[in-house]
């Protein structure tokens, strides 16, 4: 953040077990947009701790009202803020240096929606960075807040199911079909849920079927006749199979069957 450093002391002590123990707030910048979203970034010293606080307001997400401690990383001309949420390391905020001006990219919890915010000079001028620091300390002692940081398997499986349902609806609309989809959650460990975004991994075959249907009526008829359901699961190796009228889409950490190969498989086997 290219803001003027403010030498501030803390008005009260920080608990020894706090994630911000040994730091103090020294910089602050507010970003906003016309939709009413506001994200505040508070830099923490010492600088080699690579930590910041991120406060959310007006984002229409469960993050509103929360202040999260972030690990700060630099990559080329962007600054990334990594935070813990529901047991997973998440990057909700990225600040881009556009060569003379900045913008902040905010991605929601499920990483399907992205919005842009600009530096807000007036709000930055009125910012009390120590108040945000104290707000975070208050939240750290709140049981409800701590529960939102703990791993939540049901939350992440529900997020994936919602994303999958959206892709399924788009496919059925394009194909004039009544396909169903499932995820074999019993094949997925908690560790894999932490590592992988199943909503993104599992939509692959549905997106390929949709594109085929958009190309030709023949593809629509074929898919209506030969496919009833799509199952996503974790297996030792990424694979795509068709058994009876069931598509079995196997994924593994860091690997899926690529879109071109998926489309070729359906073209050759349906």
């Amino acid at each position: 953040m290219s803001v003027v450093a403010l030498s501030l002391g803390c008005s009260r002590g920080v608990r020894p077990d706090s994630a911000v123990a040994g730091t103090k707030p020294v910089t602050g910048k507010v970003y906003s947009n016309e939709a009413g979203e506001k994200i505040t970034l508070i830099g923490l010293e010492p600088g080699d701790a690579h930590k910041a606080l991120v406060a959310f307001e007006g984002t229409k997400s469960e993050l509103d009202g929360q202040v999260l401690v972030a690990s700060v990383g630099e990559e080329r001309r962007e600054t990334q803020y990594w935070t813990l949420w529901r047991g997973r390391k998440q990057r909700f905020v990225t600040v881009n240096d556009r060569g003379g001006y900045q913008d902040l990219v905010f991605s929601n919890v499920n990483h399907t929606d992205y919005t842009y915010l600009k530096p807000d000079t007036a709000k930055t001028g009125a910012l009390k960075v120590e108040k945000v620091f104290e707000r975070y300390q208050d939240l750290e002692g709140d049981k409800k807040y701590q529960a939102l940081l703990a791993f939540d398997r049901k939350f992440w499986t529900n997020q994936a199911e919602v994303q999958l349902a959206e892709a399924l609806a788009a496919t059925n609309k394009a194909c004039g079909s009544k396909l169903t989809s499932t995820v074999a959650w019993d094949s997925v460990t908690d560790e894999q849920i932490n590592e992988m975004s199943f909503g993104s991994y599992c939509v692959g075959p549905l997106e390929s079927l949709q594109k085929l249907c958009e190309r030709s009526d023949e593809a629509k008829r074929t898919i209506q006749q030969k496919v009833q359901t799509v199952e996503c699961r974790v297996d030792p190796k990424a694979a795509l199979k068709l058994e009876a009228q069931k598509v079995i889409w196997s994924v593994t950490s860091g690997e899926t069957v690529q879109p071109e190969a998926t489309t070729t498989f359906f073209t050759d086997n349906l």
Side-chain angles (χ1 to χ4, degrees):
M1 294 177 290
S2 55
V3 294
V4 178
L6 305 173
S7 296
L8 295 172
C10 297
S11 61
R12 65 189 189 200
V14 179
R15 294 194 310 271
D17 62 343
S18 170
V20 295
T23 70
K24 64 179 181 179
V26 291
T27 61
K29 196 164 190 176
V30 180
Y31 296 78
S32 66
N33 60 19
E34 293 181 354
E37 294 177 304
K38 185 175 84 170
I39 292 177
T40 301
L41 303 179
I42 305 293
L44 301 176
E45 279 194 347
D48 58 8
H50 302 290
K51 286 186 177 182
L53 296 178
V54 185
F56 302 85
E57 294 181 49
T59 64
K60 298 181 177 62
S61 74
E62 64 178 7
L63 296 169
D64 282 344
Q66 307 296 348
V67 182
L68 302 180
V69 63
S71 297
V72 184
E74 303 283 343
E75 185 174 317
R76 295 182 181 178
R77 301 183 73 173
E78 67 178 28
T79 305
Q80 303 172 348
Y81 294 80
W82 291 90
T83 57
L84 183 68
W85 190 252
R86 295 189 180 271
R88 290 181 61 174
K89 191 177 180 182
Q90 300 287 296
R91 189 180 68 180
F92 299 128
V93 171
T94 302
V95 175
N96 296 302
D97 181 352
R98 303 296 187 185
Y101 71 95
Q102 292 180 333
D103 62 24
L104 181 150
V105 183
F106 167 67
S107 59
N108 209 331
V109 174
N110 59 11
H111 295 291
T112 56
D113 299 314
Y114 296 85
T115 57
Y116 291 82
L117 297 83
K118 300 295 184 183
D120 191 315
T121 303
K123 288 184 172 63
T124 297
L127 177 65
K128 306 293 185 183
V129 296
E130 194 171 69
K131 294 295 184 183
V132 179
F133 191 79
E134 292 178 353
R135 168 65 177 157
Y136 174 74
Q137 290 178 261
D138 290 338
L139 286 169
E140 268 196 320
D142 185 273
K143 290 183 178 179
K144 290 183 179 179
Y145 178 82
Q146 290 300 324
L148 290 171
L149 301 184
F151 178 68
D152 188 339
R153 181 183 175 95
K154 184 177 181 181
F155 175 85
W156 293 115
T157 58
N158 285 346
Q159 289 290 312
E161 293 280 7
V162 168
Q163 192 172 348
L164 192 58
E166 292 173 351
L168 178 66
T171 301
N172 278 330
K173 181 178 180 180
C175 295
S177 55
K178 296 181 180 179
L179 303 180
T180 61
S181 64
T182 61
V183 180
W185 289 115
D186 58 349
S187 72
V188 185
T189 66
D190 288 354
E191 182 180 1
Q192 288 165 333
I193 289 176
N194 265 327
E195 292 176 352
M196 303 164 65
S197 176
F198 278 89
S200 299
Y201 272 66
C202 290
V203 298
L206 292 170
E207 291 176 343
S208 290
L209 291 171
Q210 178 184 342
K211 289 177 181 178
L212 285 170
C213 287
E214 290 170 346
R215 292 177 187 173
S216 74
D217 290 337
E218 181 182 357
K220 287 183 182 181
R221 291 190 294 270
T222 300
I223 290 166
Q224 289 169 7
Q225 295 169 5
K226 295 188 176 182
V227 182
Q228 288 187 348
T229 189
V230 177
E231 178 188 274
C232 180
R233 60 180 300 108
V234 172
D235 281 318
K237 185 177 180 180
L240 179 59
K241 295 186 291 185
L242 182 63
E243 295 182 356
Q245 293 179 302
K246 180 179 183 179
V247 173
I248 301 175
W249 176 254
S250 297
V251 301
T252 189
S253 181
E255 183 184 2
T256 63
V257 179
Q258 294 301 301
E260 184 176 347
T262 302
T263 300
T264 299
F265 174 88
F266 286 135
T267 302
D268 293 345
N269 291 277
L270 288 179

